[in-house]
């Protein structure tokens, strides 16, 4: 944008500035060529010349011809004036537009600059007519005589210097004021400076420096804008990354909470009630589905409340006589078996509506305790005991914790089992038996020792356990060894024997608390089929869990030994094989 230093008008380009200076500050002001009168319109100027300078008849005629050339007729005066004035003053106005400060200073410095510009305009116009002499010979002749008479001597429009001839004035303007002209003379000694950015030619080093500074300021402004955009983009990216990180953390935290809650539900630590609440809830479901009449519901509820009150299992999930039935079977059948070792007498207990899904550890303890109660070697430590119900077993484990057994395990279960569905494992079975002065130990088979994830060391250990009483010649060996508590991830079972086939392979005999009584009753038939033993027999290929733990009973403890084992359980360790 260019600003006029005379009136402050703002225009967008150099041609517009030229037109503005011509029309507003030159064309609209008419000056008498004889007495310098100004400030009047065209008709008043004509009247002034005719009345005041009437004696100059010759000049009067010439003045009319000048008007014809400069202003045109009254019909097209404005159009011709603008065109002619623009052509005549192109070099001067270009200098003013390119260097508005110099132009304004020269215009303001002298009050007579306006009529000097008028002379310069007519001087340039005269030069223009002279150069086109071939085409306008008559006009050139008239203008030459008029300018020689009227406007001689010419005066410099920039510095006010007066020359005798117009050729000298033209040379003076081109040589002394070349920097104010739009295109300097080719033969001028003044050096030219090219802008290294846009290629603009400047005649003054300081002007070039200011011009380049403007480029640099513009580039700096653009760079600052780009930097702000880049900073804004970086900030947005950082915010997006932070939001993504927060979202991932929130999602991870949510998954951890869900997994923890799932584990709590899985291990019965979700405060959803214990054996009693689950038993009542499942019986109500059976009634609602029509599988249990209301009378049966109330009868079972009364039996359960009585059992819980005295702390003794009601025996409704028990199956007895299994060892005797297996002895008969191996004596009369199983021709592929070379020898079989059976534990002492044991009863099978399966899960009920009150402990389904979490009570396997408690049911296996009932199986193990049923064998110990029928073994005279444990009468002293288990004197007067009966098979306890599950809530009673939970209370017994809490009492063992209170005595000081396994404080670390107690803290993991919040020192509370009653009223929960918390799972128990080998450690809880060990401290419970030890608190009852039953001598036992835990053996940890923490990794596979055979091909395809099998555990041959586990089978060898159990074989040695049952065959340790000495060599016998009979096919069926009924030992006095109690059953073995077998624990693996998510479940526990009871080992009641082991058979050795004629090809020297081993197979465990296992009671599962998940097997219902109706299936166990099939083993009590006189003519037991081999298929009935399929649920008991577990070959090496059937036990491929990553880790196994067993609790093996070895006898009874004295009170002193019990205290020693309680102190040892402060830092609980298990025997590891291998």
């Amino acid at each position: 944008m260019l600003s006029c230093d005379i009136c402050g008008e703002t225009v967008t380009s150099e041609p517009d500035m030229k037109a503005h200076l011509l029309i507003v500050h030159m064309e609209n002001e008419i000056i008498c060529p004889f007495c310098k009168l100004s400030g009047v319109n065209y008709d008043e100027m004509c009247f002034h010349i005719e009345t005041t300078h009437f004696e100059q008849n010759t000049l009067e005629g010439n003045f009319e011809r000048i008007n014809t050339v400069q202003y045109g007729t009254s019909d097209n005066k404005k159009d011709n004036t603008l065109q002619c004035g623009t052509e005549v003053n192109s070099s001067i106005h270009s200098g003013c537009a390119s260097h508005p400060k110099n132009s304004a200073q020269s215009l303001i410095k002298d009050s007579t600059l306006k009529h000097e510009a008028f002379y310069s305009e007519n001087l340039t116009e005269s030069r223009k007519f002279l150069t086109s002499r071939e085409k306008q010979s008559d006009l050139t002749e008239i203008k030459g005589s008029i300018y020689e008479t009227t406007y001689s001597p010419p005066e410099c429009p920039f510095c006010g210097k007066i020359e005798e001839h117009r050729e000298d004035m033209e040379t003076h303007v081109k040589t002394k004021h070349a920097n104010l002209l739009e295109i300097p003379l080719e033969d001028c000694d003044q050096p030219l400076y090219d802008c290294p950015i846009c290629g603009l030619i400047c005649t003054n080093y300081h002007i070039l420096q200011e011009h380049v500074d403007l480029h640099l300021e513009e580039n700096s402004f653009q760079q600052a804008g780009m930097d702000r955009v880049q900073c804004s983009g970086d900030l947005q990216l950082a915010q997006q990354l932070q939001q993504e990180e927060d979202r991932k953390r929130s999602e991870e935290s949510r998954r951890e909470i869900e997994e923890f809650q799932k584990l709590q539900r899985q291990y019965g630590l979700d405060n959803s009630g214990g054996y009693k609440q689950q038993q009542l809830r499942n019986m109500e479901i059976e009634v609602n589905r029509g599988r249990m009449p209301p009378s049966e519901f109330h009868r079972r509820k009364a039996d359960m409340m009585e059992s819980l009150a005295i702390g003794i299992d009601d025996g409704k999930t028990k199956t007895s006589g299994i060892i005797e039935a297996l002895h008969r079977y191996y004596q009369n059948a199983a021709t592929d078996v070379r020898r079989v070792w059976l534990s002492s007498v044991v009863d099978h207990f399966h899960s009920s509506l009150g402990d389904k899904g979490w009570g396997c550890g408690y049911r296996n303890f009932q199986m193990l305790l049923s064998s110990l109660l029928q073994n005279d070697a444990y009468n002293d430590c288990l004197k007067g005991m009966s098979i306890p119900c599950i809530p009673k077993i939970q209370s017994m484990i809490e009492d063992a914790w209170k005595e000081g057994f396994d404080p670390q395990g107690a803290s993991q279960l919040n020192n509370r089992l009653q009223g929960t569905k918390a799972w128990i494992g080998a450690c809880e079975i060990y401290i419970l038996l030890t608190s009852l002065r039953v001598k036992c130990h835990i053996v940890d088979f923490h990794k596979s020792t055979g091909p395809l994830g099998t555990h041959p060391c586990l089978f060898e250990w159990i074989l040695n356990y049952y065959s340790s009483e000495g060599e016998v010649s009979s096919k069926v060996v009924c030992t006095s060894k109690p059953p073995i508590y077998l624990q693996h991830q998510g479940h526990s079972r009871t080992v009641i024997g082991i058979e050795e086939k004629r090809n020297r392979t081993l197979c465990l005999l296992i009671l599962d608390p998940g097997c219902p009584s109706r299936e166990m009753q099939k083993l009590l038939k006189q003519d037991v089929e081999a298929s009935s033993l399929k649920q008991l027999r577990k070959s090496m290929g059937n036990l491929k869990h990553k880790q196994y733990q067993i609790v093996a009973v070895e006898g009874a403890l004295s009170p002193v030994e019990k205290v020693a084992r309680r102190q040892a359980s402060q830092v609980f360790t298990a025997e590891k094989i291998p």
Side-chain angles (χ1 to χ4, degrees):
M1 300 293 288
L2 301 176
S3 177
C4 177
D5 290 337
I6 300 175
C7 64
E9 179 72 14
T10 303
V11 296
T12 58
S13 62
E14 290 182 2
D16 294 338
M17 178 59 71
K18 295 175 185 178
H20 168 76
L21 292 173
L22 177 64
I23 296 174
V24 177
H25 302 294
M26 289 185 178
E27 184 183 53
N28 291 342
E29 186 172 15
I30 302 176
I31 303 174
C32 177
F34 301 105
C35 64
K36 310 305 180 184
L37 175 66
S38 62
V40 297
N41 58 28
Y42 178 79
D43 296 332
E44 292 173 343
M45 181 58 67
C46 292
F47 178 78
H48 164 74
I49 293 174
E50 290 175 358
T51 55
T52 307
H53 309 289
F54 63 93
E55 68 276 11
Q56 301 181 17
N57 294 329
T58 304
L59 295 178
E60 186 175 325
N62 293 335
F63 184 78
E64 290 294 329
R65 282 193 294 272
I66 292 174
N67 283 335
T68 304
V69 176
Q70 181 176 354
Y71 295 99
T73 62
S74 59
D75 295 333
N76 58 356
K77 179 174 69 174
K78 290 185 179 181
D79 296 337
N80 290 339
T81 300
L82 179 59
Q83 179 179 0
C84 179
T86 303
E87 293 176 356
V88 170
N89 294 289
S90 60
S91 62
I92 297 176
H93 292 164
S94 175
C96 293
S98 301
H99 311 283
K101 292 183 178 180
N102 296 337
S103 176
Q105 290 174 359
S106 62
L107 289 172
I108 298 172
K109 190 179 297 183
D110 193 339
S111 62
T112 63
L113 184 59
K114 293 183 179 181
H115 73 266
E116 289 172 358
F118 180 80
Y119 290 156
S120 176
E121 176 184 351
N122 288 282
L123 177 63
T124 308
E125 182 183 14
S126 175
R127 250 191 344 267
K128 198 171 187 69
F129 279 111
L130 290 174
T131 55
S132 57
R133 184 175 303 164
E134 292 82 1
K135 297 181 180 180
Q136 301 178 356
S137 58
D138 53 340
L139 290 176
T140 302
E141 185 175 354
I142 297 173
K143 293 293 294 184
S145 61
I146 293 175
Y147 275 81
E148 287 176 0
T149 306
T150 308
Y151 300 108
S152 299
E155 183 178 354
C156 177
F158 300 107
C159 63
K161 184 178 179 180
I162 299 175
E163 296 288 348
E164 294 182 358
H165 302 90
R166 60 180 177 273
E167 291 81 2
D168 297 336
M169 178 58 65
E170 183 177 355
T171 302
H172 165 76
V173 171
K174 291 181 178 181
T175 56
K176 299 298 182 180
H177 307 291
N179 59 331
L180 300 179
L181 298 178
E182 185 175 6
I183 302 177
L185 291 176
E186 296 181 358
D187 57 351
C188 183
D189 297 336
Q190 187 174 3
L192 302 178
Y193 302 93
D194 295 342
C195 175
I197 299 177
C198 66
L200 178 68
I201 299 175
C202 300
T203 59
N204 187 287
Y205 174 77
H206 298 289
I207 295 176
L208 175 64
Q209 185 175 5
E210 293 179 359
H211 173 75
V212 173
D213 290 341
L214 291 175
H215 278 300
L216 297 178
E217 290 178 3
E218 181 180 3
N219 292 337
S220 176
F221 178 78
Q222 294 177 353
Q223 184 63 34
M226 294 176 62
D227 291 342
R228 286 193 296 272
V229 173
Q230 183 66 28
C231 292
S232 177
D234 294 342
L235 179 59
Q236 292 179 356
L237 178 59
Q239 291 176 347
Q240 291 177 358
L241 293 176
Q242 184 63 38
Q243 292 175 358
E244 183 67 17
E245 183 68 20
D246 293 341
R247 186 188 64 79
K248 289 182 179 180
R249 289 180 179 178
S250 176
E251 184 68 19
E252 183 177 356
S253 177
R254 184 186 62 81
R255 285 198 302 267
E256 289 179 355
I257 293 175
E258 291 179 354
E259 289 295 329
F260 181 71
Q261 293 175 348
K262 182 179 178 181
L263 289 174
Q264 283 185 320
R265 291 192 299 270
Q266 180 180 355
Y267 292 100
L269 299 174
D270 57 349
N271 297 322
S272 61
Y275 177 87
K276 175 182 176 181
Q277 289 79 6
Q278 180 170 322
Q279 178 81 8
L280 293 175
R281 187 162 52 249
N282 287 335
M283 286 196 303
E284 290 175 356
I285 293 175
E286 293 295 313
V287 172
N288 293 333
R289 293 178 178 177
R291 298 175 183 175
M292 181 185 296
S295 59
E296 180 70 12
F297 170 81
H298 292 289
R299 186 183 66 81
R300 288 192 180 186
K301 180 179 178 181
D303 293 343
M304 180 193 68
M305 299 302 294
E306 181 181 357
S307 173
L308 295 180
I310 62 178
I312 299 177
D313 187 79
D314 55 12
K316 294 182 179 180
T317 65
K318 181 176 74 170
T319 302
S320 302
I322 296 175
I323 297 298
E324 295 84 349
L326 291 175
H327 184 274
R328 291 193 303 268
Y329 170 77
Y330 284 109
Q331 286 284 8
N332 302 324
T335 57
D336 60 331
V337 177
R338 176 178 173 271
R339 186 164 295 165
V340 60
W341 289 266
L342 299 176
S343 71
S344 59
V345 179
V346 61
D347 297 329
H348 176 264
F349 290 83
H350 69 82
S351 300
S352 65
L353 294 176
D355 62 286
K356 186 177 181 179
W358 57 276
C360 59
Y362 301 96
R363 295 300 181 180
N364 284 309
F365 173 76
Q366 288 177 333
M367 295 184 204
L368 181 55
L369 185 60
S370 70
S371 178
L372 297 177
L373 290 176
Q374 299 180 65
N375 193 326
D376 294 338
Y378 301 94
N379 288 339
D380 183 45
C381 58
L382 301 177
K383 185 178 181 179
M385 277 197 66
S386 299
I387 302 298
C389 62
I390 289 180
K392 179 62 176 180
I393 297 174
Q394 291 177 327
S395 175
M396 293 167 64
I397 296 175
E398 290 179 358
D399 292 339
W401 285 340
K402 293 176 182 178
E403 290 183 36
F405 287 96
D406 190 18
Q408 184 177 1
S411 63
Q412 291 177 356
L413 295 174
N414 298 323
N415 296 286
R416 177 174 173 264
L417 288 176
Q418 293 188 82
T420 71
K421 294 179 286 189
W423 293 13
I424 61 172
C427 294
E428 287 72 33
I429 298 298
Y430 171 83
I431 65 169
L432 180 55
L433 291 173
T434 305
S435 67
L436 297 174
R437 290 176 47 211
V438 175
K439 185 179 181 180
C440 60
H441 70 285
I442 298 177
V443 183
D444 186 6
F445 299 88
H446 61 282
K447 65 178 181 179
S448 171
T449 56
L452 302 177
T454 57
H455 292 264
C457 287
L458 171 63
F459 283 72
E460 291 292 338
W461 195 97
I462 295 176
L463 177 61
N464 294 332
Y465 173 79
Y466 283 114
S467 63
S468 62
E469 294 182 350
E471 288 289 337
V472 292
S473 58
S474 61
K475 179 182 179 181
V476 181
V477 180
C478 292
T479 70
S480 61
K481 294 286 187 178
I484 297 173
Y485 179 92
L486 177 64
Q487 176 76 50
H488 58 81
Q489 178 64 36
H491 195 38
S492 62
R493 290 173 280 187
T494 300
V495 181
I496 60 172
I498 184 171
E499 62 180 23
E500 182 184 22
K501 297 185 180 296
R502 295 190 180 278
N503 59 2
R504 299 293 180 176
T505 60
L506 299 176
C507 187
L508 298 181
L509 299 177
I510 296 178
L511 295 180
D512 192 334
C515 183
S517 295
R518 63 177 178 273
E519 295 295 329
M520 300 304 300
Q521 294 293 330
K522 295 179 182 180
L523 298 175
L524 304 181
K525 295 180 180 180
Q526 293 295 329
D527 51 346
V528 179
E529 298 179 359
S531 60
S532 299
L533 270 72
K534 185 177 180 181
Q535 58 187 344
L536 271 66
R537 284 174 169 164
K538 300 299 176 183
S539 64
M540 200 171 295
N542 298 129
L543 300 178
K544 290 185 177 182
H545 287 275
K546 183 178 179 180
Q547 182 179 3
Y548 288 92
Q549 283 183 327
I550 62 174
V551 179
V553 176
E554 299 174 329
L557 292 172
S558 65
V560 176
E561 290 175 328
K562 174 183 175 180
V563 173
R565 293 213 172 193
R566 181 184 63 197
Q567 294 175 352
S569 69
Q570 303 291 328
V571 182
F572 199 89
T573 58
E575 179 186 353
K576 291 187 178 181
I577 298 178

